[in-house]
């Protein structure tokens, strides 16, 4: 690999590559983006993501060839500040927000991003999920403060969208190393059942069926219903459920499920949705670890950027997305993780195999942060 930058092929993991490029300051070239496709090149939502990155940085250069199959990104300074962005409705706000969570703490000035679009869809983690699981993960690394929040102003279900979310994030000079190795037992389950442009009764039906399963294991369960009306309810009808289990040591595992978008396949009953989501949560608890599967790469990134000290995090089985992310971290930051598989003892009932990830941080310090 040449020292002037990194070269990749294909459209997979585009977000990972651009986010790591922006953090490491390394130029990245991605070629053969869907070059064999009937419609070659970048999709609208990817171009939209690149525009968002451009708003957040100062002095980035982005070159895309005519067919959109080659992208060269030379990152500039992460600037931050107040940003407004209309996300492409092909993907939900969660797709864009996941990247903002990774970049937010390392801006020059505190970030206040207003994102508009689809708040909840079937492909990406919803805004509710990121609020209830990604923020607590970041707090463990010392990224916290009064201005650290994700606020759902309006909901917008797929396919129409029309939602609005405000993400505010303080800046940090450094990230502290962590030892997250013992999740502890589950102590309570919280959740939100949301419904827009359908009968408010849907929420109650979801809650009842989810409790029917979870109450067999745990008494402390509270799922509140969120029914948004009028202008705040977006453009499409729908309902869904996000469940979060909290462990004794303050870690969060989550699962979520949504109704089928309008005009896309068979409708799902709220009772079935509640039951299936509860089962998904039990599955996630079985996988276990201190960080749930949707936030593995966020935790690994913060470990990589930590001070030059050892960080350890216990995860459930690694998702394919996370495995690719580890390869990218090695490319951009030359950091290799030590991976130890831990098998639970027969009688402990600790769920599936766990993976203990260990690394020494690169001692990343936020150079763009304004000196006080």
């Amino acid at each position: 690999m040449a020292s002037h930058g990194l070269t990749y092929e294909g459209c997979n993991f585009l977000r990972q590559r651009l986010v790591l490029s922006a953090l490491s300051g390394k130029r990245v070239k991605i070629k053969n983006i869907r070059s064999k496709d009937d419609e070659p090149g970048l999709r609208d939502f990817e171009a939209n993501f690149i525009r968002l990155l451009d708003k957040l940085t100062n002095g980035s250069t982005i070159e895309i060839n005519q067919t959109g199959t080659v992208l060269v990104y030379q990152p500039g300074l992460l600037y931050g500040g107040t940003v407004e962005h209309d996300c492409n409705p092909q993907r939900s706000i969660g797709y864009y927000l996941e990247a903002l969570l990774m970049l937010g703490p390392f801006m020059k000035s505190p970030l206040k991003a207003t994102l508009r679009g689809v708040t909840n869809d079937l492909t990406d983690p919803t805004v509710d999920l990121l609020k209830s699981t990604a923020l607590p993960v970041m707090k463990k690394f010392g990224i916290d403060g009064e201005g650290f929040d994700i606020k759902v102003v309006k909901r917008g279900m797929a396919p129409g969208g029309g939602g609005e979310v405000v993400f505010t994030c303080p800046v940090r000079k450094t990230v502290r190393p962590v030892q997250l190795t013992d999740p502890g037992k589950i102590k309570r389950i919280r959740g939100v059942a949301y419904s827009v442009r359908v009968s408010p009764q849907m929420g109650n039906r979801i809650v009842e069926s989810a409790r029917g399963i979870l109450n067999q294991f745990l008494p402390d369960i509270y799922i509140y219903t969120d029914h948004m009306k009028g202008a705040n309810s977006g453009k499409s009808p729908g309902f869904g459920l996000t469940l979060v289990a909290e462990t004794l040591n303050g870690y969060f595992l989550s699962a979520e499920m949504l109704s089928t978008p309008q005009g896309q396949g068979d409708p799902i009953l709220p009772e079935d949705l509640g039951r299936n989501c509860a089962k998904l949560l039990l599955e996630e608890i079985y996988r276990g670890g201190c960080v749930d599967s949707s936030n593995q790469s966020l935790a690994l990134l913060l470990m990589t950027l930590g001070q030059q000290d050892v960080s350890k995090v216990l995860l459930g089985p690694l998702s394919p997305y996370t495995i690719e992310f580890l390869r990218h971290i090695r490319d951009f930051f030359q950091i290799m993780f030590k991976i130890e598989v831990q098998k639970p003892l027969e009688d402990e009932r600790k769920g599936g195999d766990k993976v203990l990830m260990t690394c020494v941080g690169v001692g990343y310090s936020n150079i763009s942060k304004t000196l006080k």
Side-chain angles (χ1 to χ4, degrees), residues 5 63 125-126 200 258 340-341:
E63 296 163 32
T126 64
L258 285 91
E340 299 164 77
V341 177

Side-chain angles (χ1 to χ4, degrees), residues 183-194:
K185 291 192 165 75
I186 303 290
K187 67 172 177 182
R188 60 167 167 231
I189 292 174
R190 295 288 178 264
V192 51
Y194 45 85

Side-chain angles (χ1 to χ4, degrees), residues 197-242:
R197 300 195 173 269
V198 291
S199 151
Q201 204 47 45
M202 292 294 191
N204 305 341
R205 285 164 65 184
I206 296 174
V207 172
E208 207 161 309
S209 57
R211 290 190 69 115
I213 286 188
L214 297 173
N215 271 116
Q216 299 170 30
F217 304 98
L218 205 65
D220 186 358
I221 295 175
Y222 185 73
I223 305 172
Y224 76 97
T225 50
D226 176 19
H227 181 73
M228 285 199 168
K229 292 194 181 80
N232 291 350
S233 64
K235 297 174 181 168
S236 298
F239 50 86
L241 173 64
T242 301

Side-chain angles (χ1 to χ4, degrees), residues 109-138:
S109 43
L111 179 64
K112 181 183 181 207
T114 307
L115 303 174
R116 295 188 187 88
V118 176
T119 52
N120 306 73
D121 77 353
L122 300 164
T123 33
D124 300 293
T126 64
V127 175
D128 305 271
L129 185 93
L130 292 172
K131 182 184 169 93
S132 51
T133 59
L135 298 188
V137 168
M138 294 172 73

